[in-house]
Amino acid sequence: MNWLKQLMADAHGIADDGRVAAFLTVLGFIACAFYSVALKGHPFDAQAYGIGAGALFAGIGALFGLRKDN
C-alpha cells in the first residue's frame, strides 16, 4: 500500500487533507454509481455520469491549481 501513501502525500511526504478528501470523494462517487446500477438495477445514464465525473475532476483540479504549495 506504499503507492496509496505516496498518492496521498504532498511534495514533503506529509499526508495532505485535500488529496485525501479528493480520493475519498472519487471513491464515494464510483461506489454510489455502482450501487445504483449494479445493486439497485437502475439504468446507467452515461451522460449524467460523465457530467458528474467531469465536474468532480474539475473541482479537484481547481483545488490543486489554486494551492501553490503542492
Side-chain angles (χ1 to χ4, degrees):
M1 298 303 279
N2 193 25
W3 64 271
L4 187 59
K5 183 185 265 188
Q6 290 176 348
L7 182 69
M8 301 296 167
D10 60 3
H12 304 291
I14 301 170
D16 183 24
D17 294 339
R19 292 174 193 261
V20 172
F23 178 76
L24 292 176
T25 303
V26 170
L27 189 66
F29 183 80
I30 292 170
C32 287
F34 176 79
Y35 174 77
S36 175
V37 173
L39 300 179
K40 287 296 202 176
H42 296 188
F44 180 70
D45 186 6
Q47 184 176 2
Y49 184 84
I51 291 171
L56 179 64
F57 289 127
I60 292 169
L63 168 75
F64 294 139
L66 291 174
R67 291 181 27 203
K68 299 300 180 196
D69 60 345
N70 286 330

